[in-house]
Amino acid sequence: ELYESARLDGCSEAQIAWRIKIPLIRPSLVLTFFFSTIATLQVFAEPMTLRPLTNSLPSTWSPYMKVYRDAFVQGGMYAAAATAVVIAAVTLLLSFGFLKLVNRRSAS
């Protein structure tokens, strides 16, 4: 119904996409963005599995790989623990920020 009424009003396909389709999927896009950001912060197993297959993957490619290197390769348990706490705090802040954003939108 929305697309048909927009076409009757003279909207082009680009206008329909920007004014109807994208606003309809914006909540899904925001959710995907935040989950991808949190997953990027927490990725560990995949790079560690692929690292023996390539020489171009540095040991600090992801934050948790840096934690692993600091703790078990360099013996810096305190630096690794501090980095892990910072990663957890950033993940917590992103999660609560997303929760506030979603609650604010649903209350409107």
Side-chain angles (χ1 to χ4, degrees):
E1 294 173 0
L2 290 174
Y3 303 141
E4 184 179 350
S5 64
R7 284 189 191 96
L8 289 174
D9 288 341
C11 289
S12 67
E13 288 298 321
Q15 290 172 326
I16 290 172
W18 282 104
R19 295 181 180 168
I20 297 173
K21 292 179 181 179
I22 291 178
L24 285 174
I25 63 169
R26 185 173 292 139
S28 299
L29 293 174
V30 170
L31 178 73
T32 303
F33 170 76
F34 279 106
F35 283 168
S36 297
T37 303
I38 290 170
T40 300
L41 286 173
Q42 296 179 345
V43 69
F44 177 74
E46 295 84 356
M48 289 302 283
T49 303
L50 296 174
R51 203 159 160 234
L53 303 175
T54 181
N55 293 332
S56 63
L57 191 63
S59 63
T60 58
W61 186 76
S62 76
Y64 277 134
M65 288 178 71
K66 180 190 179 319
V67 170
Y68 178 82
R69 189 196 68 188
D70 288 350
F72 300 111
V73 176
Q74 296 178 344
M77 289 292 179
Y78 298 119
T83 306
V85 168
V86 169
I87 293 169
V90 168
T91 303
L92 182 73
L93 288 174
L94 283 173
S95 298
F96 277 121
F98 177 72
L99 186 62
K100 288 246 184 220
L101 179 73
V102 169
N103 284 338
R104 186 177 64 201
R105 283 183 178 241
S106 65
S108 310

